[in-house]
Amino acid sequence: MENSSDNVAAAAAISTPAAMDVEATPAPPRQPPVQFAQKPNFRPLKAHEISDGQIQFRKVSVPPHRYTPLKKAWLEIYTPIYEEMKIDIRMNLKARRVELKTRADTPDVSNLQKCADFVHAFMLGFDIIDAVALLRMDELYVESFEIKDVKTLRGEHLSRAIGRLSGKGGKTKFAIENATRTRIVIADTKIHILGSFANIKVARDSLCSLILGSPAAKVYSKLRAVSARLAERF
């Protein structure tokens, strides 16, 4: 019995240090949590910073017949461009053109092109109330074409085609404008249309039909159908 108790004690003595060794093993160090890089937050670049500090220019020529209207409406053109769009504007009397340039506080570089489109639309003959929409809204365009691009007409045939386009007292032109939400300028044989892409296409198709000889009543009926379709889409 004594031998067996001694054996048990010896076994306990042998096993105890081993157990203590296991307990004394230090725990592995805890890994620090992975920190992901924060999303960079850059302030928007100003117009003069995008072009490496260089000033950008646009020049719009003034045709002779628009010189007097430009003088009368200069303040109405100057105010929205200088105060709202933050673009410098001046009239070069020697070269007879309107010059535009960006400045340090111009908020967006696209403002320069918008202002150039606005001035160009006025030179084509659009009213300022209509042309100023180019500054306020995106996706507005000016499209120009000539009557000879649709059909070669000369003499009285050309005069009658221009008459069909405008109608009695401008009735046909106003009807197309109101149905398609566009603005149309008929300057001799040139036609300019201001509006969105889809609306310009509808107006242009109606004008081309009139040039090719369609009666106004037929064009009106087509316009009613197309404008109803456009209203449903929107």
Side-chain angles (χ1 to χ4, degrees), residues 111-128:
N111 285 7
L112 182 64
Q113 187 58 46
K114 284 182 181 178
C115 293
D117 291 342
F118 165 54
V119 175
H120 180 63
F122 177 77
M123 299 307 168
L124 292 177
F126 292 99
D127 293 335
I128 288 188

Side-chain angles (χ1 to χ4, degrees), residues 90-226:
R90 72 173 185 181
M91 176 67 194
N92 189 331
L93 294 171
K94 193 172 182 181
R96 288 218 167 188
R97 63 189 176 204
V98 176
E99 296 177 350
L100 305 150
K101 76 179 179 74
T102 57
R103 58 193 212 217
D105 61 339
T106 304
D108 190 357
V109 73
S110 65
N111 285 7
L112 182 64
Q113 187 58 46
K114 284 182 181 178
C115 293
D117 291 342
F118 165 54
V119 175
H120 180 63
F122 177 77
M123 299 307 168
L124 292 177
F126 292 99
D127 293 335
I128 288 188
I129 300 171
D130 300 326
V132 82
L134 288 163
L135 299 180
R136 310 265 193 269
M137 299 171 66
D138 294 329
E139 297 181 7
L140 283 183
Y141 309 95
V142 175
E143 183 170 320
S144 304
F145 66 96
E146 293 190 48
I147 291 176
K148 68 180 181 183
D149 297 336
V150 181
K151 189 177 183 183
T152 305
L153 297 171
R154 293 184 185 86
E156 289 186 5
H157 297 290
L158 181 60
S159 303
R160 280 198 292 271
I162 295 169
R164 280 197 302 275
L165 290 175
S166 55
K168 187 178 180 181
K171 188 176 107 176
T172 307
K173 182 173 82 83
F174 292 141
I176 295 172
E177 284 180 340
N178 293 333
T180 59
R181 297 180 195 148
T182 56
R183 288 292 175 267
I184 299 168
V185 168
I186 301 170
D188 196 19
T189 61
K190 290 181 181 170
I191 300 163
H192 312 291
I193 310 172
L194 167 67
S196 66
F197 184 79
N199 292 346
I200 284 176
K201 184 181 182 304
V202 176
R204 189 181 63 232
D205 290 346
S206 301
L207 292 170
C208 290
S209 298
L210 289 167
I211 291 168
L212 292 170
S214 292
K218 190 175 180 182
V219 173
Y220 289 157
S221 62
K222 275 187 183 178
L223 264 180
R224 279 191 213 102
V226 173

